[in-house]
Amino acid sequence: MTIAIFSVGIEDLAKELTTRPVGAQARAQLLALLDEHDGIDIDFHNRSLTPSFADECIGQLAAQLGLEDFKQRVKLRNLSASSRPLVKHVILTRCAAAMPH
């Protein structure tokens, strides 16, 4: 069985990586890609993300998929050094909030 991984550059999803509305729009596009493919590989080209964009796009995506599914199906490449801890934080925070209490 082959696994279809779709590679996409972040600039194809959003020109500016700054606001929640842009992050939500990018997340919607990523969800559509995940409907068509087993996994996605997102290249950030070392661009910096704002906390708002990271939370809305990546954090909410992880919460919708669930942490395990997110880890298996979504690969984040070339995150800038400053964005790595931010992205990890929003993923863990959103996934913890999404878990049933």
Side-chain angles (χ1 to χ4, degrees):
M1 180 178 136
T2 59
I3 296 176
I5 303 294
F6 185 82
S7 294
V8 63
I10 194 65
E11 72 283 348
D12 295 329
L13 304 172
K15 299 294 176 224
E16 296 299 321
L17 311 180
T18 54
T19 66
R20 283 193 181 277
V22 174
Q25 192 174 32
R27 181 180 76 246
Q29 292 176 70
L30 292 170
L31 285 167
L33 290 171
L34 284 167
D35 282 343
E36 298 173 24
H37 305 279
D38 296 321
I40 51 175
D41 183 331
I42 310 164
D43 191 338
F44 285 87
H45 301 286
N46 294 305
R47 291 182 57 195
S48 293
L49 314 176
T50 65
S52 294
F53 180 89
D55 180 51
E56 198 64 40
C57 181
I58 306 301
Q60 293 278 15
L61 180 65
Q64 281 183 265
L65 295 176
L67 187 57
E68 287 309 310
D69 202 24
F70 179 83
K71 285 181 178 179
Q72 290 176 357
R73 299 185 66 201
V74 180
K75 178 156 176 46
L76 308 175
R77 284 191 305 121
N78 299 319
L79 275 170
S80 68
S82 63
S83 294
R84 273 187 220 120
L86 168 64
V87 167
K88 185 176 183 179
H89 172 76
V90 298
I91 290 170
L92 296 176
T93 301
R94 283 292 177 178
C95 286
M99 292 180 81
H101 297 298

